């Protein structure tokens, strides 16, 4: 198991050092600094073995978090724990920075004592932790409060405490998708997938039992197997509305979701944590709506000049607006000057980033825009050709490129007197670009 | 108020000031002071001098302050054991506190203080806490048992904590169960023999129930523990799999990977015909792909594991090639791993896409990545024959870029392509020769020299090219020198008239001016070959080379199986067994996959039927032993050779035909326990020398023919694999008893003692009848011969082949094949009538026919030769000038084999027909016949 956990600043100075196992000595702190942080060459693996001691590290801005062990630990667990540790710290004091860590070092030690025991991760849900790790100093708790805390930390529903009350029961669902694309210069889709998340913000009283439904192909088809009559009706509807259901390649759920129920009935039921959490993640690869198409044209005119023309086409309903559009066209390292003309938005050559960055604030669906640039090159005797990195794109659109639709989210709280109808529900869809690249 | 100020005080006299503050009356000031102490401790300052003052602050009802003091205690108690006693009272008192959080805190902290005197006081509170009414205290106490065990294992056993811990597995609270499982698993690891976890269907059921309810971390502990369980049959395996599969949708990647581990392991037990098996395969792919959308560090762990899974069960991800395409922004470690998996998944169906991608990667920035991409193109050419032409033209395009490292890498792989497809692509040699000057890496230079030497007859100026290399002979690396030597000898054999001078020059450079023994030896061998018999030299040096294998760098199957048991852990990231990177006794327990339980099949023929994949399916993996003979035939460059490795096959000369395929069932794995005292690595010279001398020993080492036929001793465990201990041996059968003759040689510099041996379970239950007796300690360079009597009463298990040797710290593993004829018993002569009846009784489809070639014996000689190995002639008859011998034999486990041997005088080959109720053994009986008749 994890033998120790260290946090360093960018210079390699230790900010936090907590050793859990006897086999980890103080010299481990220095070994990591010397061999990884100060290594002459950038380290090429997140797992490093130095003198039979293994170091796992992740970096958040310029802070290094390192877990150390001498045993054959579950490596995936260690990284998951490090990420969780970052989440917990962020939930307590915001951004993970040297200053914040120094300011909260007592708190961090207290957290580390609680969420890692002898190197075994323990309950690390912020909701539960915040009930008893408070930094408020002496807080006199009644006996009931104490046992409530312990039963929550160890209980089956470790992510939610009892007795939550809201005057207004409200919930927000955000379907956040990032659409990834790799396209060949000829416009052939080399790979495309959507990775989506359903984020829920719940302000619900009591211990509400929730059931979430979406247009998952498997579920829809199962229901369609009802009477023949119904099926034909459904077909009609399907024709009128276009795509009805989507094929989900795979999905993962927050630990509050009853996985065995999903496995057997494919229904998503859970008791949500209070406040914001990520209900599920999913991935689709079929029938993706690609919001933009990028058509590049690069021509080498002699040895010292390049002509670049890029056309982007928006491919969604004209009534919708895409925002924050940014096209990044890489330029060779020996670029000496660039002239750009674009129809819409603003374009600028950024020498420090070796790219032309073209920004458009808004663009409606089914539109087209174009940029052309002339790139002057310095003659070089470097034999190696320019690698031509792909043209990448960023954007945000108000729909889900996978086609996912929320069908319902039902709330039941048998003990309190509010029903599903009393809950105010909000649903929002946001599609963002993930790695959206076109080779040129 | 911010705490960062505590980090900044560096003035002198600080300790003194802190002391004063710690003893202050004001609570706030005290707390400030303790914070300062902890901050100093963090940055590595020694504040142990403040020990008594800090401990004095322990008695407080401020929880935050208490925790800080505890933190200090955990760090310094070991350096001040006497003073640490001062804290005991508070701990004991806190363990009785009404607040469960404080009780848990006290027991948790106490377990972290590694001071004997404190540990004594810990037992009572711990016992109470294990039975505390509050689950939070119980779950903390469960982990505390593991802590205490780490400090004083005996104490834990004496106090009966292990039983209490076992009881906690049935606790009502899932988190308590999870922690108890974690603690027990850890303790069990250091006691591999004890049956601590005692997993049985009931306890497994409890764990599976807790699995649905506990935290994500608890699920990991439970799944990792489940993976160690061995279900009793395929039905139980299936039902566990069914309950574990929902975990594949968990958001925590570690839960997913641990579930994958359980499934991959238990899948071994399921029959491939089962519908469920197919369903399970399909269910595994999506979660594995999803892991690739995690953070990069986890992606890396996932990819290292997928690399193993793809080797074990390629069918799972064969349609998922696209997800392994490299993204421009992937960190380099993710890129390199994806590339590896792409090559493994490359097939005729997707090769066009893969090649297009690889070409794209070859123009990237990162040098290592580009090199690997170029190498990958070469590997595709070798793996997918249809793509070879396209690969070669892609490589030529890349050579045209003139980027130095790309060119060099391309030449190295083109050499391999030549080896795989001879006489096909040699037209590109001209292009390669153009780049001769730009090669500055030894591997590329050696590859180029190999090409020039190999195709000397097609390259007009081959002698000039090689001569130009010869100028700087002494500055070249050994690899290049060896290759140059061989290439020039080849050139000489092809064009003797023009190159006599050149060859003499290189031979004298290699033999007289070099300090490198390898080079010198090879030089001398060539020299002697050339001077004694040029024709023979030509045959040896220009011999046809075996084609190189399709798959290089596959993980050796036994190691792969072991690593599959470690999915998700560090071992799977390093691709090494835990013993390679974990110190001491922990984690060196070898894990292995469960055997496939083909329940119906095994009932009928328990003694044979090869298990696992048929031999053709398992890719040939080349053992890592240096093939010395191969070296001589200049195969040292490039990937290993397919087919039997040359060195081993010739060493085992006598037994060579026993190496044939399909012998799975006859392979007995043997664990050899070597002396723990000989922990000094063998000196470097020994293994090389030993390999050579073994080659020469063969001429004299043919066994005598008294009793059953005895194969000459073969090296089973080379010295370099076992810290200087070399084992060679053979099997004999004399008057009813089987024995294993061993020759142990100490090639290390230290005395070896305390030998012991253990056999793996095998098909015929072969096991030692007496312990291994080595009376005197084995001093360096000494050799002892031991005969170890064997019996066939050991436990029987159908074996998968243990292909290779594994070397542990002190325990060495080796595997060897035992020839079947040692199992032929003395009372194997069947009555004539009985023979006839049985022959008719056995259905014809059980009859197998074999040809034994080059066996110019007459019936009499054959009969007597076979008789000495317990194959008895029941009857003899002459039909149309052919001698027919009817023979019978019986195996130790009571299987009768009937044989008809047809010998035609004047014809060197004879025909053997075998009939047996267990047709699986026929092939091996035939091999035994062949071995006996030919020796």
């Amino acid at each position: 198991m994890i033998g120790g956990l260290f946090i360093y600043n960018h210079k390699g100075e230790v900010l936090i050092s907590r050793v859990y196992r006897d086999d980890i000595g103080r010299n481990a702190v220095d070994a990591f600094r010397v061999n990884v942080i100060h290594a002459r060459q950038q380290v090429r693996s997140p797992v490093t073995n130095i003198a039979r001691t293994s170091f796992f590290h992740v970096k958040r801005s310029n802070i290094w978090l390192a877990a150390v062990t001498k045993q054959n630990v579950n490596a995936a667990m260690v990284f998951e724990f490090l990420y969780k540790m970052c989440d917990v710290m962020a939930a307590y004091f915001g951004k993970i920075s040297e200053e914040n860590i120094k300011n909260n070092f007592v708190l961090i030690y207290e957290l580390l004592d609680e969420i890692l025991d002898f190197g075994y991760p323990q309950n690390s849900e912020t909701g539960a932790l915040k009930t008893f790790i408070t930094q408020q100093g002496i807080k006199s708790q009644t006996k009931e409060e104490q046992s409530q805390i312990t039963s929550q930390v160890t209980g089956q529903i470790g992510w939610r405490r009892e007795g939550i009350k809201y005057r207004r029961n409200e919930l927000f669902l955000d379907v956040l998708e990032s659409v990834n694309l790799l396209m060949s210069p000829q416009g052939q889709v080399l790979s495309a997938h959507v990775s989506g998340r359903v984020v829920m913000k719940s302000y619900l009283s009591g211990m509400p039992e929730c059931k979430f439904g979406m247009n998952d192909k498997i579920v829809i088809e199962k229901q369609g197997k009802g009477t023949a009559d119904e099926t034909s009706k459904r077909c009609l509807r399907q024709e009128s509305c276009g795509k009805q259901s989507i094929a989900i390649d795979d999905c993962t759920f927050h630990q509050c979701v009853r996985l065995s129920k999903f496995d057997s009935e494919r229904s998503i039921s859970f008791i949500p944590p209070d406040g914001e959490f990520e209900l599920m993640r999913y991935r689709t690869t079929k029938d993706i709506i690609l919001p933009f198409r990028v058509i590049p044209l690069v021509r080498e005119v002699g040895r010292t000049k390049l002509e670049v023309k890029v056309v982007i086409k928006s491919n969604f309903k004209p009534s919708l607006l895409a925002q924050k559009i940014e096209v990044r066209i890489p330029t060779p390292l020996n670029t000496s000057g660039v002239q750009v003309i674009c129809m819409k938005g603003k374009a600028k050559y950024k020498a420090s980033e070796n790219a032309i960055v073209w920004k458009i604030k808004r663009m409606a669906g089914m539109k087209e825009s174009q940029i052309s640039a002339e790139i002057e090159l310095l003659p070089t005797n470097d034999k190696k050709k320019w690698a031509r990195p792909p043209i990448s794109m960023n954007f945000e659109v108000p729909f889900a490129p996978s086609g996912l639709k929320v069908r319902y989210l039902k709330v039941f709280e048998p003990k309190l007197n509010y029903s599903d109808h009393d809950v105010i529900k909000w649903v929002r869809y946001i599609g963002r670009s993930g790695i959206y690249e076109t080779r040129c | 108020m911010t705490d960062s100020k505590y980090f900044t005080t560096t003035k002198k006299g600080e300790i003194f000031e802190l002391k004063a503050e710690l003893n202050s009356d004001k609570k706030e000031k005290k707390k400030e002071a303790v914070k300062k102490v902890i901050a100093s401790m963090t940055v590595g300052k020694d504040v142990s001098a403040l020990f008594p003052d800090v401990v004095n602050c322990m008695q407080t009802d401020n929880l935050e302050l208490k925790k800080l003091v505890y933190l200090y205690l955990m760090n310094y108690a070991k350096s001040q054991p006497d003073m640490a006693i001062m804290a005991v009272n508070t701990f004991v008192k806190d363990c009785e506190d009404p607040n469960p959080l404080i009780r848990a805190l006290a027991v948790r902290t106490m377990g972290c203080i590694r001071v004997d005197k404190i540990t004594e006081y810990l037992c009572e509170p711990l016992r109470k806490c294990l039975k505390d009414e509050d689950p939070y205290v119980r779950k903390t106490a469960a982990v505390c048992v593991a802590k205490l065990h780490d400090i004083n294992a005996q104490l834990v056993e004496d106090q009966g904590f292990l039983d209490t811990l076992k009881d906690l597995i049935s606790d009502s609270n899932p988190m308590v169960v999870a922690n108890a499982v974690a603690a027990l698993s850890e303790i069990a690891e250091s006691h591999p023999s004890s049956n601590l976890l005692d997993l049985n269907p009931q306890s497994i059921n409890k764990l599976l129930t807790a699995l649905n309810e506990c935290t994500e971390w608890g699920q990991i502990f439970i799944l990792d523990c489940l993976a160690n369980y061995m279900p009793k049959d395929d039905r139980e395996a299936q039902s566990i799999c069914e309950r574990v599969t929902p975990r594949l949708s968990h958001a925590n990647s570690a839960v997913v990977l641990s579930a994958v581990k359980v499934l991959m392991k238990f899948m071994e037990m399921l029959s491939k015909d089962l519908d469920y098996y197919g369903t399970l395969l399909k269910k595994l792919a999506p979660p594995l792909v999803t892991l690739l959308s995690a953070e990069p560090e986890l992606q890396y762990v996932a990819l290292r594991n997928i690399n193993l899974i793809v080797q074990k069960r390629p069918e799972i991800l064969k349609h998922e090639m696209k997800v392994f395409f490299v993204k421009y922004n992937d960190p380099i470690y993710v890129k390199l791993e994806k590339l590896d998996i792409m090559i493994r998944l490359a097939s005729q169906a997707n090769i066009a896409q893969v090649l297009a991608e690889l070409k794209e990667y070859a123009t990237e920035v990162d040098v290592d990545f580009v090199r690997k991409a170029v190498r990958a193109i070469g590997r595709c050419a070798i793996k997918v024959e249809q793509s070879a032409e396209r690969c070669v033209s892609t490589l030529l395009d890349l050579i045209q870029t003139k980027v130095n490292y790309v060119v060099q890498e391309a030449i190295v792989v083109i050499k391999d392509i030549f080896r795989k497809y001879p006489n096909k692509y040699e037209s590109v040699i001209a292009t390669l020769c153009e780049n001769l000057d730009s090669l500055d890496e030894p591997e590329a230079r050696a590859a180029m020299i190999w090409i020039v030497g190999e195709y000397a007859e097609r390259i007009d100026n081959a002698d000039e090219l090689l001569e130009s290399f010869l100028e700087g002979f002494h500055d070249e690396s050994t690899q290049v020198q060896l290759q140059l030597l061989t290439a020039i000898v080849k050139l000489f054999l092809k064009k003797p008239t023009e190159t006599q001078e050149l060859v003499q020059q290189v031979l004298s450079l290699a033999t007289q001016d070099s300090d490198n023994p390898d080079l010198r030896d090879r030089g001398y061998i060539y020299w002697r070959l050339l001077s004694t018999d040029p024709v023979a030299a030509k045959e040896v040096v220009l011999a046809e080379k075996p084609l190189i294998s399709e798959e290089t760098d596959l993980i050796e199957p036994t190691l792969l199986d072991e690593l599959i048991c470690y999915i998700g852990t560090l071992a799977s990231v390093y691709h090494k067994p835990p013993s390679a990177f974990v110190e001491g006794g922990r984690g060196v327990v070898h894990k292995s996959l469960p055997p496939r339980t083909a329940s119906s099949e095994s009932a009928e023929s328990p003694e044979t039927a090869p298990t696992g994949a048929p031999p053709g399916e398992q890719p040939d993996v080349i053992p890592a032993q240096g093939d010395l003979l191969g070296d001589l035939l200049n195969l040292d460059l490039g990937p290993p050779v397919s087919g039997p490795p040359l060195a081993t096959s010739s060493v085992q000369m006598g037994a060579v035909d026993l190496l044939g395929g399909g012998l799975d069932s006859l392979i007995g794995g043997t664990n050899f326990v070597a002396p723990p005292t000989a922990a000094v690595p063998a000196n470097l010279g020994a293994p090389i020398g030993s390999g050579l001398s073994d080659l020469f020993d063969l001429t004299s080492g043919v066994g005598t023919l008294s009793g059953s036929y005895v194969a000459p001793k073969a090296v089973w465990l080379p010295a370099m694999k076992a810290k200087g201990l070399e084992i060679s041996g053979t099997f004999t059968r004399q008057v009813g008893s089987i024995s294993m003759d061993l020759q142990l040689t100490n090639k290390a510099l230290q005395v070896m003692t305390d030998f012991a041996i253990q056999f793996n379970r095998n098909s015929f239950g072969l096991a030692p009848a007496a312990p291994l007796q080595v009376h005197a300690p084995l001093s360096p360079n000494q050799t002892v011969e031991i005969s170890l009597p064997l019996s066939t009463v050991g436990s029987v298990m159908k074996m998968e082949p243990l292909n290779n040797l594994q070397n542990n710290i002190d325990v060495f593993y080796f595997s060897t094949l035992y020839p079947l004829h040692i199992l032929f018993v003395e009372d194997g002569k069947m009555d004539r009538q009985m023979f006839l009846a049985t022959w008719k009784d056995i259905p014809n489809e059980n009859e197998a026919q074999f040809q034994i070639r080059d066996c110019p014996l007459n019936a009499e000689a054959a009969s007597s030769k076979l008789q000495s190995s317990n194959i008895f002639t029941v009857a003899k008859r002459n039909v149309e000038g052919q001698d027919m011998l009817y023979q019978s034999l019986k195996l130790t486990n009571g299987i009768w084999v009937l044989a008809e041997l047809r010998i035609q005088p004047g014809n060197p080959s004879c025909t053997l027909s075998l009939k047996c109720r267990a047709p699986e053994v026929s092939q091996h009986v035939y091999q035994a016949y062949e071995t006996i008749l030919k020796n």
Side-chain angles (χ1 to χ4, degrees), chain B residues 33 83 103 112 243 379 392 454 514 698 758 828 866 919:
Chain B
M83 288 211 257
R103 289 202 297 276
C112 296
R243 293 179 70 178
R379 277 171 65 183
V392 172
E454 188 66 19
S514 171
L698 281 171
Q758 197 184 347
L866 290 168

Side-chain angles (χ1 to χ4, degrees), chain B residues 812-882:
Chain B
F812 305 111
Y813 296 89
F814 64 90
S815 71
T816 175
L817 304 173
Y818 52 83
L820 192 65
H821 66 257
I822 61 162
L823 299 166
F824 298 172
V825 295
E826 270 72 15
D827 60 344
K829 184 157 184 171
M830 215 181 229
D831 175 65
R832 274 180 103 132
Q833 295 305 321
M834 177 88 165
F835 185 92
L836 264 173
T838 319
W839 186 271
K840 278 185 194 148
D841 201 37
I842 297 176
N844 275 338
E845 56 265 30
N846 277 12
E847 179 167 346
Q849 238 184 31
F850 303 95
Q851 285 285 332
I852 300 172
R853 287 177 216 290
D854 305 321
C855 169
L857 292 169
N858 61 20
E860 239 82 310
S863 175
S864 70
K865 219 169 181 178
L866 290 168
Q867 177 125 20
S868 61
S869 289
N870 293 341
I871 301 175
F872 302 95
T873 306
V874 179
K876 191 178 148 190
R877 156 166 104 107
N878 191 300
V879 185
E880 293 160 351
Q882 293 183 351

Side-chain angles (χ1 to χ4, degrees), chain A residues 294-309:
Chain A
V294 177
I295 304 154
L297 200 77
V298 180
R299 209 159 63 92
E300 285 176 41
V301 187
R303 287 184 61 86
T304 57
K305 203 168 150 192
L306 275 179
E307 278 181 12
V308 181
K309 199 173 107 178

Side-chain angles (χ1 to χ4, degrees), chain A residues 15 21-22 26 44 54 72-73 75 80 83 103 109-110 114 117 120 122 124 150 190 250 252-253 283 387, chain B residues 2 4 42 67 134 136 147 179 186 217 249 251 253 286 290 297 322 333 363 366 368 568 570-571 574:
Chain A
L15 304 178
R21 297 256 171 168
D22 200 38
R26 181 87 205 173
R44 303 212 132 201
S54 299
N72 181 31
V73 296
E80 283 284 4
Y83 301 143
N103 279 339
Y109 276 125
E110 201 175 334
E114 186 58 43
D117 191 2
Y120 289 108
Q122 304 292 306
S124 44
T150 57
L190 294 173
D250 188 36
T252 59
F253 296 99
R283 181 166 49 82
Chain B
T2 64
S4 56
T42 299
K67 283 182 181 171
D134 195 292
Y136 183 78
K147 291 179 189 169
N179 277 2
E186 181 170 339
W217 314 115
S249 317
S253 308
T290 298
E297 292 88 5
K322 277 189 179 180
Y333 51 81
T363 59
D366 190 283
D368 283 348
L570 263 180
Y574 293 145

Side-chain angles (χ1 to χ4, degrees), chain B residues 580-766:
Chain B
F581 59 91
V582 174
E583 266 167 14
R586 271 171 201 268
V588 287
V589 193
H590 276 264
K591 294 194 183 178
S592 59
L593 290 176
R596 199 172 285 281
T597 52
S599 40
S600 55
E601 206 179 307
S602 57
E604 284 161 29
S605 53
E607 69 288 329
T608 47
T611 54
E617 206 177 296
Q618 204 62 268
D620 284 336
V621 176
I622 314 315
Q625 293 157 280
D627 41 348
L628 274 163
L629 253 195
D631 256 1
L632 295 176
L633 296 174
N634 72 64
L635 302 172
D636 51 344
L637 272 177
V641 182
S642 71
L646 286 167
T648 24
S649 70
S650 27
V651 170
Q652 296 186 337
M653 217 71 106
V656 76
D657 41 7
L658 292 172
L659 273 169
L663 260 176
D664 316 17
S665 59
L666 292 178
I667 292 170
T670 313
N671 294 347
F672 195 87
V673 184
T677 48
V680 169
N683 58 329
L684 224 77
I688 300 168
S690 73
L692 264 180
S693 62
D694 287 329
L695 285 181
F696 299 128
D697 276 351
L698 281 171
T699 44
S700 59
V702 180
T704 47
L705 275 174
S706 66
S708 192
Y709 161 70
V710 180
K713 283 202 176 81
V715 176
W716 288 342
L717 184 70
M720 57 203 298
K721 289 248 154 192
K723 295 194 174 149
L725 177 69
E726 187 181 272
I727 303 170
S728 47
T730 186
F731 290 96
T732 57
R733 181 181 185 93
Q734 255 165 335
V735 256
S737 60
I738 307 169
S739 57
M740 181 162 91
D741 290 343
L742 285 173
Q743 182 176 322
L744 309 180
T745 310
N746 182 353
K747 292 199 165 150
L749 296 171
Q750 223 181 39
V751 175
M752 298 180 177
T753 52
D754 301 334
F755 291 89
I757 194 163
Q758 197 184 347
F759 277 47
N760 266 359
R761 286 190 281 178
N762 50 62
S763 304
F764 285 90
L766 213 56

Side-chain angles (χ1 to χ4, degrees), chain B residues 910-923:
Chain B
C910 44
T911 313
L912 176 72
S913 303
L914 293 174
K915 266 194 168 186
C916 177
R917 289 193 198 277
E920 298 88 339
V921 298
S922 301
Q923 177 70 28

Side-chain angles (χ1 to χ4, degrees), chain B residues 353-489:
Chain B
Q353 264 186 330
V354 173
L355 266 184
E357 282 294 309
L358 291 177
K359 200 176 169 184
E360 198 71 41
Y361 304 159
T363 59
E364 279 222 30
V365 193
D366 190 283
V367 177
D368 283 348
F369 181 60
V370 170
R371 280 173 181 274
K372 200 161 179 173
V374 175
R375 212 160 262 233
I377 297 175
R379 277 171 65 183
C380 284
I382 289 164
K383 196 174 171 197
V384 186
E385 186 162 1
Q386 291 80 0
S387 75
E389 195 156 342
R390 231 177 319 169
C391 294
V392 172
S393 77
T394 308
L395 287 170
L396 284 180
D397 285 352
L398 290 173
I399 288 178
Q400 298 305 341
T401 63
K402 303 275 175 197
V403 180
N404 188 285
Y405 54 86
V406 174
V407 173
Q408 308 212 37
E409 209 64 38
I411 286 181
V412 172
V413 296
I414 285 181
K415 179 213 68 188
D416 290 345
I417 296 178
F418 284 170
R419 284 283 308 280
K420 172 79 182 174
Y421 309 109
N423 305 319
K424 232 174 150 183
Y425 301 110
E426 282 77 3
S427 53
V428 307
I429 289 176
T431 324
L432 302 185
C433 288
E434 285 166 22
N435 293 290
L436 214 61
D437 301 332
S438 64
L439 309 179
D440 52 14
E441 289 160 26
E443 202 182 354
R445 284 175 83 86
M448 195 61 219
I449 293 170
W450 182 85
I451 293 173
V452 173
E454 188 66 19
Y455 299 101
E457 66 272 29
R458 305 185 196 205
I459 305 169
D460 296 332
N461 58 345
D463 48 345
E464 283 170 37
L465 292 177
L466 292 176
E467 200 170 358
S468 69
F469 279 106
L470 205 56
E471 280 160 20
F473 189 78
H474 289 299
D475 303 327
E476 300 281 5
S477 73
T478 314
Q479 190 184 14
V480 179
Q481 289 177 336
L482 286 169
Q483 206 45 248
L484 198 52
L485 171 61
T486 307
I488 291 177
V489 172

Side-chain angles (χ1 to χ4, degrees), chain B residues 182-193:
Chain B
L184 275 174
S185 304
E186 181 170 339
I187 296 172
E189 227 170 72
S190 50
H191 289 276
S193 52

